[in-house]
Amino acid sequence: MKSLHEQKLLLAMLVGIVAGGFSGYFWGSAMQSVAWLGELFLTTLKMLIVPLIAASVITGVAGLGDVRRLGRMGGYAVAYYACTTLFAVSIGLLMANLWQPGVGVSLAADAHAPKPAVGDIGFSDLILSLVHPNIIAAAADMKLLPIIVFCIAFAAALSTLGERGRPVIAFFESLNDGMMKLVEWIMWFAPIGVFALIASKLGAAGGGEAFVAQLAGLGKYALAVISGLLTHAALLCLFLAVLARRQVGDYLKHMATALMTAFSTASSSATLPLTLEGVKMAGVDEKARRFVLPLGATVNMDGTALYEAVAVLFIAQAYGIDLSFGQQMLVLITATMAAIGAAGIPEAGLVTMVIVLEAVGLPLEGIGLLLAIDWFLDRCRTTVNVFGDSVGAAVVGRLIGAKGGA
Ligand code: ASP
């Protein structure tokens, strides 16, 4: 896409978000009449996810040529995901200890909130979620992790076949190009889509006054999460400049449409097509972005990890339970696991938080305290999740020593 087109689209999306905010604020529930437009945008993006992930991962891995290079790229990616997620949880713990957002919060209002429906999720469940008995059923259920694992293995196998593997790789190359063309087309609908998503969600939350009241009720908690997310975003910018040697402003400009979509949809999976497009525009190495982004959108969730740490400490403080240093270290580990286990869909982090609460023995009902404002904080953390993925692609792209993009 030409740069002028990119700028026009950016401006139109900004107008869409601001207009959506105003309309939802002033017209409240009346704006639910445009919810279907937001749904249309979201569903259209989701429609691309499975073929795009398959084509992207297979061409990214097969493009490496030598299977041994896959180990190096995978190693860098996993190291980046692990380090940045641990940094994010640490920042979350720091913010919650600093702001003490749960101290003095009344438990009465939400004491009977329903418990989230989730069973125990342990380490073995995380490993088992890498595979699926039926790859078609996994695709139909949008279980992305087994699809990615399958595609990595399949592409590695293809690349060992030499000439015989070429036609299949060429097919996926064309599929990838066709999908990216569709992404360009869908992006022209994005300004209307983000307008409708923001306006209808704010409307569903009761409009401007209700939102301000919710925010005021959990003000310190929201502040702790948002200041943590901003601190982590600043750290990611530092990584971008130092490790990936990128011009931060320039990179953010290319990523802006994806970040705005992440904020509007609260889904890193649905945003993936635009993240791929943004990182491509920023000139990140083709193989790195095609491999690192789909994996990142599924397992790398810095914003979610940070938010889970703040939320769990908030609940402990609200119940007057003091978490020792050792217990906070347990939060560090389990929040990292919970963020990996969270799907890239709206409010998934709220559900996997159960892992962390159970690990430190906190009441699951505490989640009820956070519900009112979660729809908004979800958008903020999803934006950081997507930014973290894109920085990961740039860092890995630089580390594998490749230059430029397709
Ligand atoms: N909505 C987030 C995402 O899609 C996940 C979460 O934290 O709920 O990245």
Side-chain angles (χ1 to χ4, degrees):
M1 194 183 293
K2 309 276 180 306
S3 165
L4 184 65
H5 285 187
E6 216 188 334
Q7 282 173 13
K8 278 190 200 162
L9 180 67
L10 206 63
L11 197 68
M13 281 186 79
L14 258 177
V15 172
I17 288 188
V18 174
F22 269 110
S23 317
Y25 192 97
F26 291 110
W27 293 310
S29 56
M31 290 315 291
Q32 289 200 59
S33 57
V34 298
W36 69 275
L37 281 170
E39 191 63 33
L40 183 66
F41 175 55
L42 195 60
T43 310
T44 314
L45 283 177
K46 283 184 183 167
M47 205 160 61
L48 301 188
I49 295 174
V50 171
L52 191 56
I53 282 188
S56 178
V57 174
I58 289 176
T59 54
V61 173
L64 290 171
D66 183 346
V67 185
R68 277 166 300 186
R69 290 187 69 199
L70 171 63
R72 204 152 69 96
M73 188 160 75
Y76 286 140
V78 171
Y80 169 86
Y81 296 153
C83 290
T84 51
T85 308
L86 285 170
F87 284 144
V89 186
S90 310
I91 292 173
L93 290 175
L94 193 74
M95 290 299 165
N97 282 301
L98 223 64
W99 288 95
Q100 299 278 321
V103 174
V105 167
S106 147
L107 293 177
D110 298 283
H112 302 296
K115 287 183 193 179
V118 71
D120 277 345
I121 306 173
F123 182 70
S124 56
D125 298 291
L126 278 184
I127 300 293
L128 280 171
S129 71
L130 297 176
V131 289
H132 197 283
N134 182 339
I135 198 70
I136 309 292
D141 293 342
M142 295 278 263
K143 291 203 160 61
L144 302 181
L145 211 46
I147 299 177
I148 293 174
V149 170
F150 176 82
C151 290
I152 292 173
F154 182 50
L158 285 175
S159 65
T160 63
L161 297 181
E163 269 315 298
R164 280 183 304 138
R166 277 307 311 159
V168 182
I169 295 171
F171 165 79
F172 281 104
E173 287 282 359
S174 301
L175 181 64
N176 190 65
D177 292 349
M179 285 295 146
M180 292 311 285
K181 186 49 93 182
L182 281 182
V183 174
E184 278 184 29
W185 291 349
I186 291 172
M187 277 163 88
W188 290 109
F189 180 58
I192 297 174
V194 295
F195 162 79
L197 283 167
I198 299 275
S200 61
K201 192 69 204 184
L202 194 52
E209 276 173 29
F211 173 60
V212 171
Q214 288 162 6
L215 208 58
L218 288 169
K220 250 179 151 188
Y221 163 65
L223 224 55
V225 174
I226 292 172
S227 57
L229 290 175
L230 288 174
T231 309
H232 189 71
L235 187 70
L236 290 174
C237 287
L238 191 72
F239 289 164
L240 196 57
V242 176
L243 298 178
R245 305 266 166 86
R246 293 261 159 192
Q247 246 263 321
V248 175
D250 204 46
Y251 198 82
L252 279 170
K253 207 176 75 201
H254 290 300
M255 283 308 299
T257 40
L259 297 179
M260 285 192 274
T261 305
F263 184 79
S264 311
T265 59
S267 168
S268 22
S269 295
T271 307
L272 179 62
L274 301 188
T275 317
L276 279 161
E277 176 70 18
V279 170
K280 179 180 168 186
M281 299 305 295
V284 170
D285 172 67
E286 183 180 66
K287 293 174 283 298
R289 67 169 190 255
R290 288 182 179 185
F291 170 77
V292 174
L293 286 179
L295 192 61
T298 316
V299 300
N300 181 46
M301 302 208 179
D302 296 354
T304 301
L306 186 150
Y307 140 86
E308 298 211 1
V310 178
V312 167
L313 260 67
F314 168 83
I315 291 172
Q317 291 161 1
Y319 278 88
I321 300 166
D322 213 16
L323 291 185
S324 65
F325 181 75
Q327 280 174 309
Q328 295 202 22
M329 288 303 103
L330 197 57
V331 171
L332 184 80
I333 294 163
T334 48
T336 302
M337 270 172 63
I340 294 171
I345 55 172
E347 309 207 0
L350 198 66
V351 178
T352 60
M353 200 198 305
V354 170
I355 304 175
V356 193
L357 289 174
E358 283 189 335
V360 286
L362 288 173
L364 301 190
E365 291 82 353
I367 290 181
L369 294 171
L370 317 168
L371 291 180
I373 200 69
D374 199 66
W375 70 272
F376 176 69
L377 294 181
D378 190 11
R379 278 143 213 276
C380 302
R381 64 184 187 254
T382 307
T383 310
V384 172
N385 288 346
V386 168
F387 186 50
D389 297 338
S390 79
V391 173
V395 169
V396 174
R398 158 111 193 138
L399 292 178
I400 61 170
K403 299 182 191 76

